[in-house]
Amino acid sequence: MRKAEKLSQQQSDRKRHGFKLFLLISPFLILSVLFSYLPLFGWVYAFYDYQPPIPLSQSEFVGLQWFKMMVQNPAQLQTIGQVLINTFAMSGLNILTSFFPLFFAIALNEIRAKWFRNLIQTLTTLPNFISWVLVYAVAFAMFSTTGMLNEMLQNLHIISEPIKFLDSDSHTWLKMLLWGLWKGLGWGSIMYLAGIAGIDPELYEAAQVDGANRFQQIVHVTIPQLLPTYFVLLMLSISNFLNNGMDQYFVFQNAFNTKHIQVLDLYVYNVGMGNNSLSYATAISMLKSLVSVGLLIVVNWLSKRTRGVSIV
């Protein structure tokens, strides 16, 4: 009897503990529903010819008209094709350079002077908290035709005409990649620094006993221990292949670089807000979300097959 009562008490305690944990995360669940799932109701606009401020109930139901327009209109198809090329190029470059934060974290960890390491980490992390509007303001002050760099080069008689860093369509993808790296490199390395701090010191001691120098310890201990974290982040990046964000490209776009800077998120914004075609923009965004979910499912399946562990 006592054993049964004790077992019943343990089950009751576990239920109370589980309920407390549920109450703890419930505010975040509510926020997720409000900001991630409730807005999905807006997909209904993709099946109407919605013109604000006319209510949706009074708008004409057009079915799949906006989806057909993407593939039946040659001019529209060409525009979407260029937008997808830009999106794939920027996402591909971000994936190809995804190992930069890992190696930056390793290099940062090797700095012996603690004050200098903290200084570098602070200086490289701060840009993440600066809005892209302010980043563009800094870029304009430094790299515009009347900016500091052009003025300095002209005063030194190195160039006779200002170099068009911003109002030019040359190397647009590379420019956006460099700005993104500058802004996110320090922030992206934080997770790897936490991973390095969690590596068992006995692994390094064993490597030292075997005669490994510092570089060999990095190659045979640090990097292998960080690879699982890297692969998880890499797969999440692949699942978000179509999601480049809009802020960076919105502030840097101009009449000269529109062709190569307009990624999918920016295109949806320009179509919806600039061209006042909210229904068409919703249709494009809807397809993008569905493809992203499909990529997440595929990446999760690949993770199970290759690593034996799912990422979601």
Side-chain angles (χ1 to χ4, degrees), residues 130-282:
I130 302 175
S131 70
W132 278 110
V133 176
L134 293 179
V135 171
Y136 180 76
V138 173
F140 186 82
M142 294 185 64
F143 300 108
S144 65
T145 53
T146 57
M148 183 183 70
L149 183 60
N150 272 311
E151 289 288 341
M152 182 180 67
L153 293 176
Q154 285 179 306
N155 291 335
L156 294 174
H157 303 290
I158 297 176
I159 60 174
S160 57
E161 295 291 334
I163 301 175
K164 296 181 179 180
F165 293 104
L166 299 179
D167 50 353
S168 170
D169 197 28
S170 61
H171 310 296
T172 301
W173 297 341
L174 180 60
K175 293 174 186 175
M176 294 299 100
L177 174 66
L178 293 176
W179 281 113
L181 286 174
W182 173 79
K183 195 172 187 295
L185 183 63
W187 180 258
S189 67
I190 290 178
M191 188 170 296
Y192 295 112
L193 288 170
I196 293 174
I199 297 176
D200 190 350
E202 293 183 359
L203 294 175
Y204 292 106
E205 295 173 2
Q208 289 175 352
V209 170
D210 290 338
N213 57 32
R214 197 63 195 170
F215 178 75
Q216 290 173 330
Q217 292 176 37
I218 292 173
V219 172
H220 298 289
V221 178
T222 306
I223 293 179
Q225 291 295 312
L226 293 179
L227 281 180
T229 301
Y230 171 73
F231 281 122
V232 169
L233 295 177
L234 177 63
M235 289 181 177
L236 288 175
S237 298
I238 295 174
S239 66
N240 286 306
F241 196 78
L242 297 180
N243 298 318
N244 300 99
M246 187 198 74
D247 300 356
Q248 175 185 0
Y249 308 99
F250 177 77
V251 297
F252 277 94
Q253 72 171 340
N254 53 55
F256 301 96
N257 62 13
T258 301
K259 180 178 179 181
H260 290 104
I261 202 173
Q262 192 166 222
V263 294
L264 197 54
D265 289 321
L266 179 59
Y267 178 68
V268 169
Y269 174 83
N270 288 336
V271 169
M273 304 303 293
N275 298 339
N276 198 28
S277 183
L278 296 177
S279 296
Y280 182 53
T282 303

Side-chain angles (χ1 to χ4, degrees), residues 20-36:
K20 290 179 182 179
L21 292 178
F22 175 76
L23 291 178
L24 187 64
I25 66 171
S26 58
F28 303 100
L29 292 176
I30 293 172
L31 289 175
S32 297
V33 171
L34 289 178
F35 292 100
S36 298

Side-chain angles (χ1 to χ4, degrees), residues 2-19:
R2 289 182 179 179
K3 186 176 181 180
E5 291 177 358
K6 186 177 180 179
L7 183 61
S8 177
Q9 182 64 33
Q10 290 177 348
Q11 292 177 347
S12 179
D13 291 341
R14 281 198 296 267
K15 288 181 179 180
R16 282 197 297 267
H17 182 66
F19 183 69

